[in-house]
Amino acid sequence: MVSPTSTVDLSAPLGRPRVMGVVNVTPDSFSDGGRWVEPDAAVAHGLRLLADGADILDIGGESTRPGATRPLLAEELARVVPVIGALAENGAVVSVDTMRAEVASAALEAGAVVVNDVSGGLADPDILRVVADAGATYVAMHWRAHSEHMRDFAVYDGPGGVVGAVCRELGERLRAATSAGIAPERIVLDPGLGFAKEAEHNWQLLAGLADLAALGHRLLVGASRKSFLGALLADTDGVPRGVEEREHANTALTAHLARCGVWGIRVHDVRAAHDALRVVRRLEEEA
Ligand code: PMM
């Protein structure tokens, strides 16, 4: 164990959202697939994000792009554990992006202090007990199905549309997490932009964050590089803006999310996010 979870207080107010930098140790993520798949490259990338001011590094070994197939457990472990160990040794506050109890357990042992479970405990309910036993921070994201099938589940016809459904379904995940022994104050909720969501659903969720906040937990939002931004910025022929060219839109969104009072933003460009947060902070000083 590199750094005990109890020594990191991730709920202390900072006056701005925490910036969670993404390190995908995968060959196939939509946003940066293959760039950091070698452990040394992933660690170097994490250290760059840390130098840019990342408050948390989120290390993932499974791509969740729509249609992706899952890695074997052994593959996922081999991708993330050495990278987590090295970054934690370098003083990073590390989050592991996983849906598997075994990976969460190994990651916590290697020095992670946050488990970012995009399935909110649905994919592997044992993960909740692992998090509870470690006293780690738990990010429960809204999710309906694995990437291979998630497009089939992007239907929100019930009361309150997508915002109502996400609130109800995250409420169920909250109950499961607390029943497993995770302290409520350690739980962070995430609307899961792009996960079984069409572009319009993502925008409705971003506009409805106050309803999610009313569940009484801190919020994390991950919009960075996602396809709904590409669609918004499509050219006159309707061709979506490429993944690498969506950053300015995400930076604008970062400023908005800061005004909404979210706890965290999950981004690829940490420096751009901090620039936006500094603008917001400076304006608040004049208010
Ligand atoms: N998005 C991705 C992966 N993990 N975790 C949380 N909590 N929230 C998200 O929105 C989220 C996530 C997919 O994006 P990536 O391929 O850029 O990592």
Side-chain angles (χ1 to χ4, degrees), residues 24 30-31 64 97 116 118 141 190 195 220 222 226 266 268:
N24 284 323
F30 78 93
S31 52
T64 48
D97 186 343
N116 171 25
V118 298
M141 199 194 79
D190 184 323
F195 287 79
L220 172 70
K226 289 191 175 168
R266 185 179 177 279
H268 298 85

Side-chain angles (χ1 to χ4, degrees), residues 134-147:
T137 295
Y138 183 60
V139 178
M141 199 194 79
H142 179 262
W143 180 94
R144 285 183 162 182
H146 284 290
S147 304

Side-chain angles (χ1 to χ4, degrees), residues 30-48:
F30 78 93
S31 52
D32 52 6
R35 291 184 67 183
W36 328 116
V37 73
E38 294 302 326
D40 287 352
V43 172
H45 182 55
L47 293 175
R48 262 193 308 276

Side-chain angles (χ1 to χ4, degrees), residues 142-231:
H142 179 262
W143 180 94
R144 285 183 162 182
H146 284 290
S147 304
E148 259 180 299
H149 308 293
M150 69 177 164
R151 284 201 181 100
D152 304 338
F153 291 84
V155 180
Y156 299 92
D157 292 338
V162 67
V163 176
V166 168
C167 287
R168 283 190 296 280
E169 291 167 32
L170 276 181
E172 284 165 24
R173 301 326 305 151
L174 265 177
R175 283 187 285 283
T178 51
S179 303
I182 302 178
E185 63 273 18
R186 295 223 183 251
I187 301 176
V188 175
L189 299 178
D190 184 323
L193 301 180
F195 287 79
K197 319 265 180 344
E198 303 292 351
E200 73 208 61
H201 299 136
N202 297 324
W203 291 113
Q204 288 158 10
L205 282 164
L206 285 167
L209 286 178
D211 288 13
L212 248 73
L215 291 170
H217 290 262
R218 294 169 281 159
L219 298 181
L220 172 70
V221 177
S224 183
R225 299 191 179 171
K226 289 191 175 168
S227 63
F228 75 106
L229 297 178

Side-chain angles (χ1 to χ4, degrees), residues 82-154:
V83 176
I84 289 169
L87 290 172
E89 291 278 5
N90 276 279
V93 174
V94 175
S95 159
V96 60
D97 186 343
T98 187
M99 296 181 252
R100 287 179 163 134
E102 294 95 333
V103 177
S105 179
L108 292 165
E109 193 63 34
V113 294
V114 179
V115 174
N116 171 25
D117 175 2
V118 298
S119 82
L122 282 172
D124 181 355
D126 288 346
I127 201 169
L128 300 176
R129 187 189 36 77
V130 168
V131 175
D133 288 351
T137 295
Y138 183 60
V139 178
M141 199 194 79
H142 179 262
W143 180 94
R144 285 183 162 182
H146 284 290
S147 304
E148 259 180 299
H149 308 293
M150 69 177 164
R151 284 201 181 100
D152 304 338
F153 291 84

